[in-house]
Amino acid sequence: MKNKVIGILPTHSRRDMLPRALDSVVAQTVRPDVFLILDNASKDGSSQVLAEFAGKYDFIKIIRTEENLGAGGGMRFLVERALEMNADWIWFMDDDAEVDSKALESLLSSKAMNNSDAYILEMAVLDANGVWTAHNRPALFDEDKFEFNGLEERVIHSDEPVEVHTGGYNGWFVRRKCFEEFGFPRTDMYFWFDDIEYVVRVSRKKKVFLIPQSRVKHFATSLVDYEVRWPFSGPLPKIPAEHMGRYFYWNRNWLWFAKQWLPAHKYAIFWAKHMARGLA
């Protein structure tokens, strides 16, 4: 029985980036049955770009809101619409990404599709130069030590699904049952760790796999440079002034996540170290 696949992409005022992202969707060797795009109250002419694509390709459907729901809220909105349309699998994509032409085909043909416990499949996220950087690699989560251990670079060459415990929205391929059993990512955490928290939550009971041959380039601008050093801390983030406010959420969410796993005495030590590092 054929799986019904619905792709989703929320966007807000990304007129210059959208054509590259949508061209890569149209170029898929296996296209989704429907590709839903949320025009999240764009004000830069993105609506015209989206209308042109929807006019050419029947499988692309546009939904526009007059109020910006935010990225997390927009993603939740699209997932709910896809579920209403009886999607078996939902394929996530960012508006600043470009998927390889065989990305969806590689997901659908992977051995993990035959595993009924596989609830999330992930694409390999490359940077703008096509490099699988350590920053973009999924990790294994050691609950006892509260440690995330990133995959080695050689994994990108594997022909087999690789079990992981973390991953970002860009390139998710999620089984319908996942949302029915585990709910949705926490929209109040956006925009840091909401995706990681969700994958960790799911991977404790079900399987999450990286499919190395399914790939996507992500053209996101880095918000941080790890160049500054401080005694005993290792690399520290060098944060552009215009992005400083966003790191409130990074710290808030990371501390919340740690509190879910660590006993009180260990969390107190973690909190103190984390805040000292943050102030530095």
Side-chain angles (χ1 to χ4, degrees), residues 16-28:
D16 294 337
M17 292 186 173
L18 278 171
R20 176 174 56 199
L22 296 180
D23 280 338
S24 70
V25 171
V26 169
Q28 290 299 294

Side-chain angles (χ1 to χ4, degrees), residues 3 10 42 89 93 96 168 177 179 202 209 235 241 259 269:
N3 287 298
S42 296
W89 288 83
M93 186 173 166
D96 55 358
K177 285 184 178 180
F179 300 108
V202 173
F209 291 102
K259 195 173 183 179
I269 296 171

Side-chain angles (χ1 to χ4, degrees), residues 224-239 247 250 273-280:
V224 63
D225 228 348
Y226 286 92
E227 293 181 351
V228 183
R229 288 188 171 273
W230 190 54
F232 315 114
S233 76
L236 285 172
K238 177 182 176 182
I239 304 167
Y247 281 83
W250 188 92
K273 288 183 176 180
H274 182 79
M275 294 306 292
R277 184 173 184 270
L279 289 171

Side-chain angles (χ1 to χ4, degrees), residues 66-136:
E66 297 306 319
E67 177 186 357
N68 186 353
L69 304 178
M75 198 73 79
R76 168 76 175 264
F77 177 89
L78 286 173
V79 170
E80 290 175 343
R81 300 295 82 72
L83 294 175
E84 288 171 1
M85 297 171 68
N86 297 315
D88 295 308
W89 288 83
I90 301 176
W91 186 34
F92 288 63
M93 186 173 166
D94 285 351
D95 56 9
D96 55 358
E98 180 182 33
V99 283
D100 180 79
S101 62
K102 291 187 176 182
L104 185 54
E105 180 183 353
S106 296
L107 291 169
L108 289 168
S109 62
S110 71
K111 294 179 181 178
M113 287 292 292
N114 298 321
N115 186 335
S116 61
D117 278 338
Y119 272 34
I120 301 177
L121 307 186
E122 298 180 2
M123 299 167 60
V125 180
L126 313 178
D127 68 11
N129 298 313
V131 178
W132 197 43
T133 62
H135 174 72
N136 283 326

Side-chain angles (χ1 to χ4, degrees), residues 9-14 18 36-51 61-69 74 77-78 81:
L9 185 156
T11 187
H12 171 72
S13 297
R14 288 290 187 94
L18 278 171
L36 287 178
I37 302 173
L38 175 64
D39 182 358
N40 211 350
S42 296
K43 301 183 184 303
D44 68 342
S46 294
S47 300
Q48 287 73 23
V49 173
L50 294 171
K61 308 295 182 185
I62 313 298
I63 304 173
R64 178 175 169 82
T65 56
E66 297 306 319
E67 177 186 357
N68 186 353
L69 304 178
F77 177 89
L78 286 173
R81 300 295 82 72

Side-chain angles (χ1 to χ4, degrees), residues 129-225:
N129 298 313
V131 178
W132 197 43
T133 62
H135 174 72
N136 283 326
R137 296 175 203 165
L140 297 175
F141 179 46
D142 187 326
E143 296 183 20
D144 295 331
K145 296 181 180 179
F146 192 67
E147 289 181 353
F148 291 90
N149 301 303
L151 300 181
E152 297 180 5
E153 185 177 3
R154 60 182 175 81
V155 171
I156 193 68
H157 303 296
S158 174
D159 293 326
E160 300 292 324
V162 180
E163 189 167 357
V164 296
H165 300 144
T166 71
Y169 283 124
N170 189 21
W172 272 6
F173 194 53
V174 186
R175 190 187 293 270
R176 179 187 186 88
K177 285 184 178 180
C178 188
F179 300 108
E180 295 173 343
E181 295 181 24
F182 294 93
F184 300 91
R186 295 176 59 100
T187 55
D188 59 344
M189 287 186 73
Y190 185 80
F191 61 109
W192 257 304
F193 298 118
D194 50 334
D195 45 9
I196 291 176
E197 186 276 332
Y198 189 70
V199 178
V200 169
R201 195 195 319 166
V202 173
S203 67
R204 295 184 71 199
K205 296 183 178 180
K206 297 295 180 179
K207 299 293 184 181
V208 179
F209 291 102
L210 170 73
I211 309 301
Q213 299 310 309
S214 180
R215 301 181 182 185
V216 55
K217 284 185 180 179
H218 198 199
F219 294 87
T221 302
S222 177
L223 298 179
V224 63
D225 228 348

